[in-house]
Amino acid sequence: MAIPDTLAVRLMNVVGDHELGGDFLMLGRQRWVGSRRKRSARLFQDTIKARFPDLSEEDFASPDNKYSETFFERLGFDQVDSMDVSDFENASIVQDLAGKLPKKLRGRFDVIYDGGTCEHVFDLPTAYRNIDRMLKPGGVLIGHSPCNNWINHGFYQITPEMVYGFWEKTLGYEVLECELQPLLPMFAHRSVGTTNPNETGVRPRLLGKLPDGPVILSYAVRKPLQKRADKGTKVYQTDYQARWTEGEEQQAVAV
């Protein structure tokens, strides 16, 4: 789990565009990579210049370790914590994301960052619901999850359908962004969006052509200020729900 230049740019943009701050939690203790080469490195330098004109790349790196706390502090968060199931990387909170969540962690964080952790958790639904429990009302989950060409990286590859089917439709979160970001430096500018199945009635369609190589699903979703009265516990794929509804309507007309 690490933050290279391309993903650092996406984090800078989503935090700045939506004026995020407060108490921050990264799932796993993210390593800091920063600049790699050519196009992604130039994009990173241009973004720093535009959003943090008084800082250089060196200001985002921790002087005494390989991790990313300094980066998130520079983004403007007041408190930066990390969570892991083990203390092998000295996370500030040792907690099983798929285990029973203690009361002290409920509603504690303004922003949670999944930079490639949840696909390694076998009990993924519990992990996601615990993230929901840990966020304050109005809090934001930012996700950078392996989406394509990551065979055997983890138990799962996360897709846009998860963003729209679970976070938006089931839990009522607002989707702030959802794009597919190629990870190779040469494709730093080649992100592709998708359609929203809750609007189209069919599963997400790509709004462009993805280049070859590994792809990261980059998304951000905001928790509603109040729980929806009709908030369900079961999750179904959005286009199947549309088909079931259409089938019921056709049967009703036939009768």
Side-chain angles (χ1 to χ4, degrees):
M1 297 176 291
I3 302 176
D5 42 23
T6 311
L7 300 185
V9 167
R10 299 204 70 96
L11 283 162
M12 289 177 171
N13 287 337
V14 73
V15 169
D17 290 347
H18 298 284
E19 300 180 339
L20 304 182
D23 294 332
F24 179 91
L25 175 68
M26 55 176 144
L27 304 178
R29 197 172 181 202
Q30 300 288 327
R31 290 182 292 108
W32 175 249
V33 175
S35 284
R36 292 178 292 170
R37 58 187 183 274
K38 296 184 178 179
R39 295 177 186 176
S40 63
R42 288 196 298 271
L43 176 62
F44 185 38
Q45 295 300 329
D46 290 345
T47 304
I48 292 175
K49 184 177 180 180
R51 291 195 176 272
F52 301 94
D54 297 328
L55 300 179
S56 66
E57 179 178 350
E58 290 72 23
D59 294 316
F60 291 95
S62 298
D64 54 357
N65 62 58
K66 61 183 179 180
Y67 300 106
S68 299
E69 282 85 355
T70 297
F71 171 69
F72 290 112
E73 290 167 0
R74 294 293 190 190
L75 293 191
F77 292 102
D78 300 323
Q79 174 70 33
V80 177
D81 280 294
S82 55
M83 176 183 287
D84 210 325
V85 70
S86 166
D87 63 359
F88 83 112
E89 288 188 304
N90 297 313
S92 59
I93 300 172
V94 177
Q95 168 67 36
D96 183 356
L97 190 58
K100 185 176 180 181
L101 198 68
K103 290 183 179 180
K104 65 181 181 180
L105 294 177
R106 293 174 180 257
R108 177 170 165 178
F109 300 102
D110 296 284
V111 176
I112 294 177
Y113 176 55
D114 176 16
T117 291
C118 284
E119 73 270 13
H120 300 286
V121 180
F122 181 74
D123 195 354
L124 183 63
T126 300
Y128 277 162
R129 292 193 184 280
N130 276 338
I131 290 172
D132 173 52
R133 295 181 183 107
M134 288 192 291
L135 280 172
K136 298 177 182 179
V140 171
L141 166 65
I142 302 172
H144 287 159
S145 300
C147 186
N148 199 30
N149 294 327
W150 292 82
I151 294 173
N152 290 331
H153 172 79
F155 288 114
Y156 307 99
Q157 294 186 77
I158 312 302
T159 68
E161 178 65 47
M162 184 71 79
V163 177
Y164 292 112
F166 177 68
W167 293 108
E168 184 177 62
K169 188 167 186 65
T170 301
L171 294 190
Y173 278 53
E174 175 191 1
V175 178
L176 303 179
E177 70 169 44
C178 182
E179 292 192 346
L180 300 169
Q181 175 66 58
L183 197 56
L184 294 179
M186 65 184 299
F187 299 134
H189 295 275
R190 294 278 299 275
S191 64
V192 173
T194 75
T195 58
N196 183 340
N198 296 319
E199 297 173 354
T200 65
V202 296
R203 62 192 59 179
R205 301 289 193 258
L206 297 183
L207 297 175
K209 182 177 176 57
L210 282 169
D212 294 334
V215 175
I216 291 287
L217 173 64
S218 177
Y219 67 95
V221 290
R222 189 188 299 276
K223 184 174 182 175
L225 293 175
Q226 295 182 334
K227 291 183 178 180
R228 297 189 323 192
D230 63 341
K231 177 182 172 182
T233 57
K234 293 185 178 180
V235 185
Y236 302 100
Q237 223 177 321
T238 49
D239 61 348
Y240 283 110
Q241 287 182 298
R243 293 181 197 180
W244 297 334
T245 300
E246 291 172 0
E248 291 172 355
E249 291 174 349
Q250 291 173 358
Q251 288 180 353
V253 171
V255 172

